[in-house]
Amino acid sequence: MMSTINLARRGQNPLARAKLAKFARHAIGVAGFLLAWQLLGMTGLFKWMPPAAETLARTFSLAVDPEFLGDIGGTLTAAVIGLPLAVLIAVPIGLLLGTVPVVEEMTRVFVEFLRPIPSVALIPLALFFFQPEINAKVALIVFAAAWPILINTLYGVRDVDPLGKETLRSFGFGPGAVIWRVALPSAAPFIATGIRLAASITLILAISVEYIVGGSVGVGGFLIEASTGIGMDALIDVVAVLIWAGVIGLIVNILLARAERRLFKWRNT
């Protein structure tokens, strides 16, 4: 019994050491970047570069700033509303296009026409049709986030093993059952990847709308206020806000990636 436990512990040690080494490499990389940033700022060669120490201090101070926390909440609210709506719209359409070739051929021109349109270019149109600003942000997020989900769903359905579908049909299952029992589970990893890609798009678009429109609530609105200042203090504020935008996107991506690995462990085996 003890020998089994010892073997198990020995088997876990390499994995733990590998994770620790990976974390150490990441930490060393970040520390090296910050050190280089600080040294370059101290040399005075780049007068426009804000000092790393002061910028990080401002970044940490924003974490307890009620106004900034409220702006983060405003940005995330639009993203949290828009992303599920995009999933509810894009996944059924992707399943339909992937399982009914005739429909896919009939709508291909519209898909290829609409997909390349920059979502930011639609901001004036969204503001015209959707009021207040939060509705315009959600509408644009749904439009932009739906495309990676739809395309991944479409390709995921196409990748389904035809033998599985034919097996269910041979047992008398209808098209709906084939989609529910075979196509959707097989395409689920592709859909999850599309959702992870769409999540970053939601944050980018929400902040872009806030910045262009000049909304009173949101990271983009806070960024406008920070950029209206003068001198190095204003630049430090802008960079600190941008760091937080990157941190939020990184956290969201990590959480979705971990959820994807847990849900689809068989995909990595």
Side-chain angles (χ1 to χ4, degrees), residues 140-197:
L140 288 169
I141 285 172
V142 171
F143 176 82
W147 293 113
I149 301 172
L150 188 152
I151 298 302
N152 275 270
T153 303
L154 176 60
Y155 284 115
V157 172
R158 287 178 177 176
D159 196 58
V160 175
D161 185 4
L163 181 60
K165 294 188 289 186
E166 291 300 328
T167 301
L168 254 67
R169 292 192 185 102
S170 65
F171 281 98
F173 288 94
V178 173
I179 294 174
W180 181 255
R181 294 174 179 268
V182 178
L184 185 59
S186 299
F190 294 88
I191 297 172
T193 301
I195 294 173
R196 183 155 53 88
L197 295 173

Side-chain angles (χ1 to χ4, degrees), residues 16-81:
R17 285 196 297 269
K19 290 183 178 180
L20 183 60
K22 183 178 180 180
F23 176 80
R25 289 193 295 270
H26 290 171
I28 292 172
V30 172
F33 172 78
L34 294 176
L35 179 60
W37 179 6
Q38 181 67 21
L39 293 176
L40 285 173
M42 293 172 61
T43 60
L45 295 176
F46 305 97
K47 295 182 179 180
W48 50 266
M49 181 180 293
E54 295 180 18
T55 304
L56 289 178
R58 179 56 176 154
T59 302
F60 287 119
S61 69
L62 287 176
V64 293
D65 186 335
E67 181 183 357
F68 183 67
L69 294 178
D71 288 326
I72 289 179
T75 298
L76 292 180
T77 297
V80 169
I81 296 173

Side-chain angles (χ1 to χ4, degrees), residues 169-227:
R169 292 192 185 102
S170 65
F171 281 98
F173 288 94
V178 173
I179 294 174
W180 181 255
R181 294 174 179 268
V182 178
L184 185 59
S186 299
F190 294 88
I191 297 172
T193 301
I195 294 173
R196 183 155 53 88
L197 295 173
S200 61
I201 294 175
T202 61
L203 293 174
I204 294 171
L205 196 56
I207 295 175
S208 299
V209 174
E210 293 161 356
Y211 186 81
I212 294 174
V213 177
S216 58
V217 178
V219 175
F222 194 94
L223 192 60
I224 290 177
E225 294 182 7
S227 62

Side-chain angles (χ1 to χ4, degrees), residues 91-109:
V91 171
I93 294 176
L95 289 173
L96 176 64
L97 299 182
T99 54
V100 185
V102 175
V103 177
E104 194 272 334
E105 292 177 2
M106 292 173 59
T107 58
R108 183 180 301 170
V109 174

